[in-house]
Amino acid sequence: MAGFVSHFTNRLDAKGRVSIPAPFRAVLARDGFDGLYCIASAHCAAVDAGGNDLLAEINKRSEAFAKLSPDHDALAVALFGASENPRIDGDGRMTISDMIRDHTGLADQVTFVGMNYKFQIWEPEKFREYRAEAQRRALAMLSGQVPAPSQGEPA
Amino acid sequence: MAGFVSHFTNRLDAKGRVSIPAPFRAVLARDGFDGLYCIASAHCAAVDAGGNDLLAEINKRSEAFAKLSPDHDALAVALFGASENPRIDGDGRMTISDMIRDHTGLADQVTFVGMNYKFQIWEPEKFREYRAEAQRRALAMLSGQVPAPSQGEPA
DNA sequence: TGGGTATCTATGGGATACCATGGGATTTCA
DNA sequence: TGAAATCCCATGGTATCCCATAGATACCCA
């Protein structure tokens, strides 16, 4: 079954709310996660969002280390300390927290980008730039110029 | 279902009380633990807090040694001697004990950091420093490289 | 086929509930 | 009996719930 696909740009209202695109809501409803799981991306000005599938990916990363160890603690702070669990109201909207606003730099519009098992939250202009760069990289990779990165690339 | 996520900073009042963030209280309520389980972190200036999940991890550690053995006794003293079981009042607040105050160095503000199966209690400024370091280490760990030996860890 | 209607979506705004916080009053314990 | 812990209530700010509206699309039926 298809996951999060396509991208949408919606307006942020005076209360800091934004409608989650209806197709994404449908995917979340199938997933069954309560609300939305969000985590700041470690390598770009976007926030990853999704449900159980995304949470499972995050959990997988920290399971490599023994709990209560310094390594596990550091990883847990970096991952879960940078995560949030916003609710979705009856009209399909979420509230943009300070964390999301600071990390993405978004102001009055929000771009939602489907990435199959998760989607990303972007400031629209920053997403345009990132997308252009991503397409250049994809083109280079597909033409065999650049070796595909080994698996386990941070999302 | 997600555990403790995100981080919050609340004020300590004149009576030494502080509100436990509502999302954390919701997780604790699901967990069913009576009050809060707290233990000083062995490797940083924070206090681990949580419910049955955290307690289970602590128990797992001491069970590695035979009861009544000197090793088990020593570990039990170290673990449970550094533990506390504060209550949560009707308004969702806990009282900061001298142990927590001394071990974290906190003064008038308290930062609560979600780490999924537990959360940590920090002095806000010390947390900022630790977090920056944790993000560096996490990036190194996740990029598949051997993590740099964590010398110079904040005590 | 075309007009009309119902539905869905994004968005705005009022009303309400919740949360963090402060402080008084009461209880507990040494 | 005095200090500390606990209970209880008040309050300001914020988040959430609920309803309204407009535009777009899907649907229906003559």
Side-chain angles (χ1 to χ4, degrees):
Chain A
M1 186 159 314
F4 303 102
V5 295
S6 187
H7 64 273
F8 309 86
T9 298
N10 289 336
R11 188 169 312 160
L12 205 58
D13 72 12
K15 295 182 182 178
R17 299 173 300 182
V18 64
S19 286
I20 297 169
F24 288 8
R25 296 204 302 263
V27 177
L28 288 169
R30 277 205 309 272
D31 181 273
F33 191 76
D34 181 38
L36 191 63
Y37 188 85
C38 292
I39 179 168
S41 166
H43 67 281
C44 62
V47 169
D48 289 343
N52 287 311
D53 286 351
L54 175 60
L55 182 55
E57 283 298 319
I58 307 289
N59 275 326
K60 211 188 291 177
R61 292 188 190 169
S62 61
E63 280 167 5
F65 301 89
K67 282 177 182 166
L68 298 175
S69 70
D71 281 342
H72 189 279
D73 277 2
L75 201 51
V77 165
L79 293 177
F80 298 106
S83 296
E84 279 177 0
N85 210 337
R87 295 160 190 282
I88 300 177
D89 72 17
D91 299 326
R93 288 182 284 199
M94 64 178 290
T95 303
I96 297 296
S97 66
D98 288 346
M99 181 280 279
I100 296 179
R101 185 177 270 111
D102 293 346
H103 193 258
T104 60
L106 57 82
D108 63 337
Q109 289 205 313
V110 185
T111 295
F112 298 86
V113 183
M115 298 175 70
N116 205 26
Y117 76 101
K118 68 178 180 185
F119 63 90
Q120 284 189 330
I121 295 172
W122 282 89
E123 190 283 322
E125 181 54 35
K126 284 188 177 149
F127 171 63
R128 261 190 292 273
E129 296 165 9
Y130 177 82
R131 190 187 190 198
E133 172 64 19
Q135 283 173 339
R136 274 195 295 276
R137 283 180 60 178
L139 206 61
M141 283 190 271
L142 292 175
S143 60
Q145 300 301 319
V146 178
S150 57
Q151 83 245 24
E153 169 127 319
Chain B
M1 174 90 51
F4 302 102
V5 296
S6 189
H7 61 275
F8 308 86
T9 298
N10 289 337
R11 191 166 309 153
L12 206 57
D13 72 12
K15 296 181 183 177
R17 299 173 302 181
V18 64
S19 287
I20 297 170
F24 288 9
R25 297 204 301 263
V27 177
L28 288 169
R30 277 206 311 269
D31 181 274
F33 191 78
D34 181 39
L36 190 64
Y37 187 83
C38 291
I39 178 168
S41 167
H43 55 82
C44 61
V47 169
D48 289 343
N52 287 312
D53 286 352
L54 173 60
L55 187 53
E57 288 299 325
I58 307 283
N59 280 326
K60 213 188 286 179
R61 286 228 150 175
S62 61
E63 279 165 6
F65 301 88
K67 279 178 185 163
L68 299 179
S69 72
D71 282 343
H72 184 280
D73 281 2
L75 195 56
V77 166
L79 291 179
F80 298 108
S83 295
E84 284 178 356
N85 207 340
R87 296 157 191 279
I88 300 176
D89 72 17
D91 298 327
R93 289 182 282 200
M94 64 179 289
T95 302
I96 297 296
S97 66
D98 289 345
M99 182 281 279
I100 297 179
R101 198 184 299 268
D102 294 344
H103 192 259
T104 60
L106 57 81
D108 63 337
Q109 289 204 314
V110 185
T111 295
F112 298 85
V113 184
M115 297 170 70
N116 208 24
Y117 75 100
K118 69 178 179 186
F119 63 89
Q120 283 188 332
I121 295 171
W122 282 89
E123 190 282 323
E125 182 54 35
K126 284 185 179 157
F127 170 64
R128 260 189 292 273
E129 295 165 11
Y130 176 78
R131 188 188 188 197
E133 169 68 15
Q135 284 172 338
R136 276 193 295 275
R137 287 173 58 181
L139 268 180
M141 286 189 260
L142 293 175
S143 59
Q145 300 170 353
V146 177
S150 55
Q151 86 277 25
E153 189 161 322

